[in-house]
Amino acid sequence: MTLQELKVQAVQTRKALLSMIYHAKTGHTGGALSSADIMTALFFHVLKLDPSNPFWEERDYFILSKGHCVEGYLAVLAERGFFPPEELETFSRFKSRLIGHPNNKIPGIEMNTGALGHGLSISVGMAIGLKKDRKTNRVFTLMGDGEQAEGSVWEAAMAAGHYKLDNLVAIIDRNHLQISGSTEDVMSLEPLAARWESFGWEVKEIDGNAMDEVVQALTSTPLKPEKPTLIIAHTIKGKGVKAMENVASWHHGVPNKGLYEEAMAAFTRLEEELRNAKL
């Protein structure tokens, strides 16, 4: 997709995930919205994949470590053609395979995730295996910033640096909020970039809600040969819905009818503006 098309698609991703949450009456709204630009760029521009053959041996691998924000993941998989978009209407319903965390019974999902701190460890193992098999596939993982308090993240970070995994790209959705408040109040993370660099990673900080920066960063990996890449994507929790932006309580929440209709109308207007914009 072109940059303009990716911006439009990101709005459609937000519309789809908000609709899922509203109709299911459950979901992790804030983080799904903050990471929608990243998810859109990955699945519509960056990852090497084949929706008609999800287990294609040459594919890039993606692990959603912050698995509670599955709504955006499901939205991009459906739109990309891994399963029919109509199935999104079954999200969190009885007997649906579209549940509140990634489920590897769904095409395009490699691993069941959501116990925070596990995604990077899984990704490091995949990247080591690919190196040993002399394959050129890449591994991408998206983590939350609250997740950085998990010790297993740093064990995996140490291993990735040690094994010089330049086929591994980790992204942190740095929206500065977690379920119980500010990340810096709950467990201070800064200086975050310096900490990752000390573990042997090459680090780049970007505006994770600016599609041009997201695409430029993700298509420039590895940032340095023989080093794993970390992208710290500074985002806004609840991005796109003004009443939700930078509000910790929207980590998990369902909009009422009025807020939902207002948000969807705003997304529709933005979508039209982007379609009509001249680059």
Side-chain angles (χ1 to χ4, degrees):
M1 283 188 171
T2 66
L3 188 60
Q4 185 176 20
E5 289 169 338
L6 287 168
K7 290 178 179 180
V8 171
Q9 182 59 53
V11 177
Q12 294 175 338
T13 299
R14 288 187 166 93
K15 289 173 72 174
L17 73 86
L18 192 63
S19 178
M20 291 164 59
I21 291 169
Y22 175 72
H23 289 101
K25 303 305 177 190
T26 186
H28 288 81
T29 315
L33 287 169
S34 68
S35 58
D37 300 290
I38 298 165
M39 295 297 292
T40 299
L42 282 169
F43 279 85
F44 289 88
H45 192 78
V46 177
L47 296 176
K48 186 168 61 173
L49 48 79
D50 181 359
S52 67
N53 182 14
F55 297 106
W56 178 41
E57 288 191 0
E58 301 303 314
R59 73 189 183 280
D60 289 330
Y61 293 82
F62 174 74
I63 300 294
L64 181 63
S65 190
K66 48 175 275 179
H68 54 286
C69 294
V70 70
E71 297 87 358
Y73 194 4
L74 296 175
V76 294
L77 286 176
E79 186 62 29
R80 195 68 175 79
F82 283 90
F83 61 89
E86 296 77 21
E87 191 175 350
L88 295 177
E89 298 173 8
T90 73
F91 176 63
S92 285
R93 291 185 184 175
F94 184 55
K95 293 188 176 182
S96 173
R97 61 179 180 168
L98 307 186
I99 56 178
H101 285 80
N103 169 16
N104 65 1
K105 293 181 181 179
I106 300 167
I109 295 182
E110 304 285 351
M111 294 289 299
N112 298 347
T113 57
L116 296 179
H118 291 186
L120 185 62
S121 298
I122 294 167
S123 301
V124 167
M126 287 178 164
I128 290 173
L130 290 166
K131 285 279 190 181
K132 287 184 177 296
D133 288 341
R134 301 183 183 277
K135 291 186 175 292
T136 59
N137 315 54
R138 300 169 298 169
V139 183
F140 292 77
T141 186
L142 177 61
M143 299 180 285
D145 50 4
E147 183 177 1
Q148 304 306 297
E150 300 283 355
S152 53
V153 169
W154 298 101
E155 293 180 55
M158 186 187 305
H162 175 77
Y163 289 106
K164 301 178 180 180
L165 300 180
D166 55 6
N167 58 342
L168 174 62
V169 179
I171 308 155
I172 298 175
D173 181 17
R174 185 73 170 112
N175 59 39
H176 296 264
L177 293 172
Q178 58 190 100
I179 191 169
S180 47
S182 163
T183 56
E184 302 314 289
D185 291 337
V186 177
M187 183 64 70
S188 179
L189 300 180
E190 297 299 340
L192 188 57
R195 289 178 177 179
W196 279 86
E197 287 168 348
S198 74
F199 278 74
W201 291 62
E202 192 68 17
V203 179
K204 185 177 182 65
E205 299 194 54
I206 65 168
D207 179 344
N209 294 135
M211 188 60 76
D212 55 342
E213 292 191 31
V214 174
V215 169
Q216 194 281 329
L218 290 174
T219 55
S220 299
T221 58
L223 297 177
K224 183 171 285 190
E226 298 193 343
K227 277 194 169 189
T229 292
L230 177 75
I231 296 170
I232 300 176
H234 294 277
T235 63
I236 296 173
K237 193 113 173 178
K239 174 67 176 177
V241 183
K242 293 299 182 184
M244 299 180 187
E245 290 186 351
N246 289 319
V247 179
S249 60
W250 278 105
H251 176 86
H252 183 286
V254 178
N256 60 29
K257 185 174 185 290
L259 179 55
Y260 171 71
E261 292 178 348
E262 179 184 327
M264 294 296 276
F267 283 140
T268 299
R269 289 194 298 271
L270 177 57
E271 187 178 349
E272 284 301 310
E273 289 174 9
L274 290 170
R275 287 185 187 280
N276 295 328
K278 292 183 179 179
L279 296 181

